[in-house]
Amino acid sequence: MSRLLDILGCKYPIIQGPIGATNSPKLVAEICEAGAFGMLAMGFISNAEEAKRLARDVRELTDKPFGANLMTMNPLNPEILEVLAESGVKTVTTSAGSPRNLYPLLHELGMKGLHVMLAFSYAVKAEDAGVDGLVVSGAESGGLRSVNPESSNMILVPLVVDHVKVPVVAAGGIADSRGYRAALALGAEGVQVGTRFLASEESSAPKAWKEAIINCSDGGTTLLPLGNMMMRVIVNPKLKAQMSDPETDLAKEYNLMNVPEAWGKGNFDLFPAGAGQISARIHEIKPVRKIIEEMVS
Ligand SMILES: Cc1cc2nc3c(=O)[nH]c(=O)nc-3n(C[C@H](O)[C@H](O)[C@H](O)COP(=O)(O)O)c2cc1C
């Protein structure tokens, strides 16, 4: 068994990329049942009870191990970690900030953690902070991105692999067996997959979101500025018009706080649909079991 599979406790080294405000216990459970590692997203959770309920809902659907993602800046993290540990969660990922304060508690609770990082310098710091593994998320990935210049996975994954001792997972641009094998060839021990699972049959994303991914062509995503961060989103007609207007300050037009409503209802004028560059290679909504079986074939 690889070091990563030892940490995750599943059959295949494939992690479900957590998707902000979008949680579907059914999707998490299906991914686990198909041999990969399902993940809940705790970034937008407003109380620990909600975390407990989500973990319980997953547990009712599968007895396989699953995980959860925590945003480091969430003040509720200690409570969330405790309810997750009580619910039997043994592995979490941490993202969007320094892992230093979270890991002592996480380890005290008997958990392991993989830290998500977007640039080489953060990988070295995270390893130094005691993380058990790293999720390396290149510029092509969906989700929150940095305002600093970024490298894509072809560069970032081997760069990090060559400098750290902990297992590395590649996130971004992976939707099929070619992407999966390429990530392993670059030295990653596993992959994290966001957009492909978002456009799956079991995903609770509204139809409009899945269709936006399927209809997205090459170059169809952009980095939406949000102050000190960016978000990779699919360009829609409203956003396209705003982008060509030099008077429009996009950071003032879109508020991250509107993400739960916008993505939950498919209202992409309120906040554009989040997705990775890999959308250009996703043409069909498929069941997760089929996606996973094809990926490891
Ligand atoms: C819409 C969207 C929301 C995301 N939200 C989170 C999040 O809350 N926490 C996190 O660690 N990663 C988040 N991610 C990143 C994914 O978990 C995953 O690493 C990324 O999507 C991988 O790139 P891919 O979309 O090319 O597969 C998000 C990605 C997308 C597309």
Side-chain angles (χ1 to χ4, degrees):
M1 190 186 278
S2 78
R3 297 183 299 169
L4 180 68
L5 289 178
D6 202 30
I7 292 174
L8 301 176
C10 57
K11 186 172 175 193
Y12 303 124
I14 301 172
I15 301 175
Q16 175 192 358
I19 303 293
T22 313
N23 270 308
S24 164
K26 185 174 162 220
L27 176 63
V28 175
E30 278 295 320
I31 287 175
C32 297
E33 286 294 313
F37 193 73
M39 294 271 288
L40 289 167
M42 298 285 146
F44 284 81
I45 295 285
S46 52
N47 59 70
E49 270 310 302
E50 204 180 336
K52 194 172 181 173
R53 181 183 54 75
L54 283 166
R56 191 196 53 217
D57 289 352
V58 176
R59 189 45 80 221
E60 277 172 10
L61 298 170
T62 182
D63 59 4
K64 302 262 189 310
F66 65 96
N69 168 252
L70 287 86
M71 296 283 198
T72 55
M73 68 282 224
N74 187 345
L76 291 174
N77 281 338
E79 291 161 61
I80 293 177
L81 275 175
E82 295 208 3
V83 301
L84 289 175
E86 281 164 20
S87 310
V89 170
K90 294 201 162 44
T91 308
V92 297
T93 62
T94 54
S95 37
S98 168
R100 201 164 285 278
N101 293 337
L102 268 181
Y103 278 68
L105 172 62
L106 187 157
H107 287 149
E108 218 171 276
L109 291 166
M111 291 173 154
K112 299 258 190 226
L114 309 173
H115 189 63
V116 183
M117 38 67 44
L118 316 179
F120 173 66
S121 60
Y122 296 118
V124 177
K125 282 185 195 152
E127 184 179 47
D128 188 49
V131 305
D132 303 291
L134 292 166
V135 178
V136 172
S137 173
E140 61 274 69
S141 302
L144 280 173
R145 308 295 316 165
S146 145
V147 289
N148 301 321
E150 294 187 332
S151 295
S152 59
N153 276 332
M154 193 73 99
I155 292 104
L156 193 57
V157 173
L159 194 58
V160 173
V161 166
D162 284 350
H163 282 85
V164 300
K165 294 194 177 67
V166 294
V168 169
V169 173
I174 299 156
D176 60 10
S177 62
R178 284 185 286 175
Y180 173 75
R181 283 185 278 131
L184 299 185
L186 292 173
E189 292 187 28
V191 297
Q192 174 162 294
V193 175
T195 306
R196 178 60 276 191
F197 286 141
L198 187 56
S200 67
E201 256 177 44
E202 294 86 347
S203 156
S204 63
K207 197 164 163 245
W209 197 352
K210 297 182 191 179
E211 282 175 355
I213 293 171
I214 283 175
N215 294 327
C216 179
S217 47
D218 181 34
T221 68
T222 191
L223 291 172
L224 185 68
L226 297 167
N228 59 353
M229 292 296 279
M230 316 255 254
M231 170 82 78
R232 186 168 291 288
V233 297
I234 296 178
V235 179
N236 58 39
K238 179 181 169 189
L239 179 57
K240 192 172 179 186
Q242 289 170 322
M243 283 163 62
S244 61
D245 174 9
E247 299 294 306
T248 304
D249 179 355
L250 288 172
K252 289 206 177 109
E253 297 289 323
Y254 295 102
N255 185 338
L256 200 55
M257 288 302 121
N258 289 330
V259 155
E261 188 187 340
W263 291 356
K265 294 189 177 146
N267 179 356
F268 301 130
D269 282 347
L270 182 61
F271 197 102
Q277 288 184 343
I278 191 66
S279 303
R281 291 202 50 245
I282 297 174
H283 310 298
E284 208 188 323
I285 296 165
K286 292 183 188 173
V288 290
R289 186 172 288 275
K290 211 168 159 193
I291 295 169
I292 293 167
E293 281 172 0
E294 194 278 329
M295 201 171 275
V296 296
S297 66

